[in-house]
C-alpha cells in the first residue's frame, strides 16, 4: 500500500526470495540440542496432560429435533461424569451443542453437575442439519487457548463434507486431543464419518442403542475418567466396565 513504511531486506530475506524463484527451499540452520530441549520444555508446559492439571472435557451434543429423548437422557446422566472424575481429581466440562438454523453454542467451563443440569434443562431441541465441523473447530480453539484433555460427541447423523471434518479432526489429533464419538443408532454414513474422526484424533467410536441409558452412562463415565486421570485411569476402569474397555481397545 502506498505510504506504508518498508523494511530493508536482510540477507536471509534475499536468499529466501531467490529460493522461491527457482523452486528450491531456503537453507535452514540445524537446531542445536539446546534449541530442542527448550522446545520440548515449552511443549510440556503447554500440554493439557501436564501432571496436576485440572481435567477439561468438551461435551458436545447434537440438539436437532430428533435428539430430544437423547438430550433428556444425557442431561440425567451428566452427573455421572463428575462423580467418576471426583475420585481422580476434578473435572471441568464445556457444553457445546448445535440445533436449528446455523445455531451452534458453547458454555463456559462448568465444574458443578447441578449447574450443568440446570443449563441443559433450559435448552430444547430444534430441527436443523448437523454442524459437527463447528464442534471440532471450537474444540481445537479451546484446546489451544486453555487445554482440553478429551472431546465427547453424542449424535446419530452426519450431513456435512466428510473430508472437511477429517481435516479438523486431524488438527485435534496433532494437539493430542482424542475425540470419543458416541453414535446412537445405525446410520452407516454417520458411522463411517464418526469412526474416521475417532481414528484421526486417537480417540474411539462406540455405538449405543436408542434409549439405552446404561450403555451411554458407561461411555460417559469412561470418557470422564480419561479426562480427569489420563490413560492410566481409563485402564483401571476398563477392568470393571465394558464402556471403558471399548474405548481403551481403540485408542492408540
Amino acid at each position: 500500500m502506498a505510504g506504508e513504511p518498508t523494511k530493508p531486506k536482510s540477507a536471509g530475506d534475499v536468499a529466501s526470495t531467490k529460493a522461491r524463484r527457482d523452486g528450491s527451499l531456503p537453507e535452514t540452520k540445524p537446531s542445536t540440542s539446546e534449541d530442542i530441549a527448550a522446545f520440548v520444555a515449552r511443549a510440556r508446559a503447554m500440554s493439557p496432560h501436564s501432571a496436576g492439571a485440572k481435567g477439561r472435557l468438551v461435551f458436545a451434543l447434537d440438539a436437532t429435533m430428533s435428539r430430544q429423548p437423547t438430550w433428556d437422557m444425557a442431561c440425567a446422566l451428566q452427573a455421572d461424569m463428575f462423580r467418576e472424575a471426583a475420585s481422580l481429581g476434578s473435572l471441568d466440562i464445556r457444553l457445546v451443542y448445535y440445533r436449528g438454523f446455523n445455531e451452534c453454542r458453547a458454555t463456559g467451563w462448568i465444574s458443578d453437575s447441578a449447574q450443568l443440569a440446570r443449563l441443559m434443562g433450559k435448552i430444547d431441541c430444534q430441527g436443523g442439519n448437523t454442524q459437527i465441523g463447528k464442534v471440532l473447530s471450537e474444540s481445537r480453539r479451546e484446546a489451544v487457548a486453555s487445554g482440553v484433555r478429551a472431546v465427547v460427541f453424542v449424535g446419530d447423523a452426519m450431513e456435512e463434507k466428510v473430508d472437511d471434518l477429517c481435516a479438523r479432526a486431524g488438527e485435534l489429533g496433532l494437539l493430542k486431543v482424542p475425540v470419543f464419538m458416541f453414535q446412537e443408532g445405525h446410520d452407516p454414513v454417520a458411522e463411517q464419518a464418526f469412526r474416521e474422526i475417532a481414528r484421526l484424533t486417537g480417540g474411539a467410536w462406540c455405538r449405543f442403542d436408542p434409549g439405552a441409558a446404561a450403555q451411554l452412562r458407561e461411555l460417559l463415565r469412561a470418557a470422564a475418567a480419561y479426562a480427569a486421570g489420563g490413560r492410566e485411569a481409563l485402564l483401571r476402569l476398563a477392568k470393571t466396565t465394558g464402556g471403558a474397555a471399548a474405548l481403551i481397545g481403540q485408542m492408540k
Side-chain angles (χ1 to χ4, degrees), residues 57-154:
L57 171 73
V58 172
F59 184 30
L61 291 164
D62 179 333
T64 54
M65 188 67 76
S66 64
R67 310 297 301 146
Q68 190 67 57
T70 305
W71 181 275
D72 294 340
M73 185 168 66
C75 184
L77 297 177
Q78 55 81 19
D80 290 318
M81 290 193 286
F82 287 102
R83 280 193 288 269
E84 187 63 45
S87 63
L88 302 165
S90 58
L91 181 68
D92 285 345
I93 290 179
R94 184 179 181 89
L95 176 67
V96 180
Y97 65 94
Y98 58 79
R99 63 180 183 175
F101 178 70
N102 208 32
E103 180 184 357
C104 184
R105 297 183 182 274
T107 69
W109 289 104
I110 299 170
S111 57
D112 176 64
S113 63
Q115 180 186 357
L116 182 55
R118 285 194 298 270
L119 189 152
M120 292 182 70
K122 296 177 181 178
I123 299 169
D124 62 323
C125 295
Q126 299 177 6
N129 292 329
T130 65
Q131 300 177 58
I132 301 168
K134 291 181 180 179
V135 169
L136 298 176
S137 294
E138 168 63 17
S139 298
R140 180 195 179 282
R141 187 195 67 76
E142 198 59 45
V144 172
S146 59
V148 172
R149 284 189 174 173
V151 178
V152 166
F153 174 81
V154 182

Side-chain angles (χ1 to χ4, degrees), residues 4-77:
E4 289 282 319
T6 59
K7 289 168 55 180
K9 291 185 178 180
S10 66
D13 293 332
V14 173
S16 177
T17 300
K18 179 179 181 298
R20 286 196 296 272
R21 285 173 180 166
D22 64 17
S24 63
L25 293 174
E27 292 183 5
T28 58
K29 185 177 69 174
S31 299
T32 66
S33 58
E34 291 80 8
D35 293 333
I36 295 171
F39 173 80
V40 171
R42 287 196 302 272
R44 284 176 176 167
M46 293 170 61
S47 171
H49 301 278
S50 299
K54 194 168 188 177
R56 286 192 157 180
L57 171 73
V58 172
F59 184 30
L61 291 164
D62 179 333
T64 54
M65 188 67 76
S66 64
R67 310 297 301 146
Q68 190 67 57
T70 305
W71 181 275
D72 294 340
M73 185 168 66
C75 184
L77 297 177

